[in-house]
Amino acid sequence: QQQVKQSPQSLIVQKGGISIINCAYENTAFDYFPWYQQFPGKGPALLIAIRPDVSEKKEGRFTISFNKSAKQFSLHIMDSQPGDSATYFCAASRPSGNTPLVFGKGTRLSVIA
Amino acid sequence: SQTIHQWPATLVQPVGSPLSLECTVEGTSNPNLYWYRQAAGRGLQLLFYSVGIGQISSEVPQNLSASRPQDRQFILSSKKLLLSDSGFYLCALRGGGKSNQPQHFGDGTRLSIL
């Protein structure tokens, strides 16, 4: 119940295309869903986050879509660029800020020209 | 703003040697602190987390230990390193108490065991 399942493991997208990464969870107590972007040799950086009281959040080319009934959330990268090539992690957290984030296993995105 | 300092950036150690990795944070008080390990091309494995001075929770039994001697200092240690301890070690902080506090990572230490 503590798992967050992320798919796909790897993704290749043409420049200008849409990258879509999906995550699913079981624990209905989760109420905070962040996405992280990690470049090689660097720590993950917070990209965007959503709470279950909204169905979508957009920041620039990055959008989180959230489906509470299906217990799924996804990251959409519009107009994907080679600079977006990185590993992306979804995560989820219970209401207490003292419990650790539960991370998905990551998706390696490659955007090719 | 919150800052996480991890050093060294790269470390090469022989099998059986001791280890001490230090993480210090700035720009926050009473943070939750975390140690993660990441194998090459793999996900984030939570090793330890701490919600306060002297409070350590261990997620994975192993030959590593952690300590939090000060509010903004988190130390990862080992008495005898194994080959399997190689990896990318990341320190992270998050505001405690309320949910939705963002979690931030340091730039990590690449540890190679020979």
Side-chain angles (χ1 to χ4, degrees):
Chain A
Q1 250 209 343
Q2 282 293 98
Q3 285 185 327
V4 174
K5 294 182 179 180
Q6 184 172 346
S7 63
Q9 277 190 317
S10 62
L11 181 61
I12 300 174
V13 173
Q14 292 277 349
K15 179 183 175 182
I18 302 174
S19 304
I20 302 174
I21 304 170
N22 301 300
C23 285
Y25 64 98
E26 290 294 324
N27 191 341
T28 55
F30 288 150
D31 75 340
Y32 173 66
F33 303 88
W35 284 88
Y36 287 82
Q37 179 188 56
Q38 184 181 29
F39 293 107
K42 294 291 187 181
L46 180 63
L47 193 59
I48 187 172
I50 197 169
R51 289 197 65 187
D53 52 353
V54 296
S55 60
E56 187 175 282
K57 183 174 181 180
K58 185 176 180 179
E59 289 186 5
R61 295 184 294 108
F62 300 90
T63 300
I64 300 179
S65 296
F66 186 83
N67 186 329
K68 189 174 182 178
S69 60
K71 292 183 284 187
Q72 294 175 348
F73 58 110
S74 59
L75 176 70
H76 296 236
I77 306 174
M78 312 301 287
D79 187 27
S80 299
Q81 299 297 312
D84 297 329
S85 297
T87 299
Y88 293 82
F89 294 94
C90 63
S93 173
R94 288 162 53 193
S96 167
N98 287 337
T99 56
L101 288 173
V102 179
F103 282 90
K105 292 186 183 295
T107 296
R108 181 173 291 181
L109 171 66
S110 298
V111 181
I112 56 176
Chain B
S1 62
Q2 297 173 343
T3 307
I4 301 172
H5 299 282
Q6 278 191 256
W7 65 90
T10 306
L11 187 61
V12 180
Q13 292 283 99
V15 170
S17 63
L19 173 74
S20 180
L21 297 180
E22 187 168 340
C23 171
T24 58
V25 302
E26 295 177 353
T28 182
S29 296
N30 305 314
N32 291 347
L33 297 175
Y34 307 85
W35 277 112
Y36 291 84
R37 177 170 61 198
Q38 189 175 29
R42 305 294 292 274
L44 300 162
Q45 180 187 30
L46 178 63
L47 300 176
F48 302 94
Y49 70 98
S50 170
V51 300
I53 296 173
Q55 300 179 63
I56 307 294
S57 296
S58 174
E59 291 294 302
V60 182
Q62 58 213 328
N63 70 321
L64 299 171
S65 62
S67 62
R68 187 168 175 178
Q70 301 179 44
D71 182 47
R72 299 172 195 174
Q73 185 183 33
F74 203 24
I75 298 172
L76 182 69
S77 303
S78 174
K79 292 181 179 178
K80 272 189 175 183
L81 286 167
L82 306 173
L83 283 173
S84 58
D85 291 323
S86 292
F88 190 42
Y89 287 82
L90 291 155
C91 178
L93 75 83
R94 190 179 184 202
K98 298 178 182 178
S99 77
N100 310 330
Q101 295 294 317
Q103 178 166 311
H104 300 287
F105 287 84
D107 276 338
T109 293
R110 175 77 57 193
L111 175 64
S112 299
I113 310 298
L114 302 180

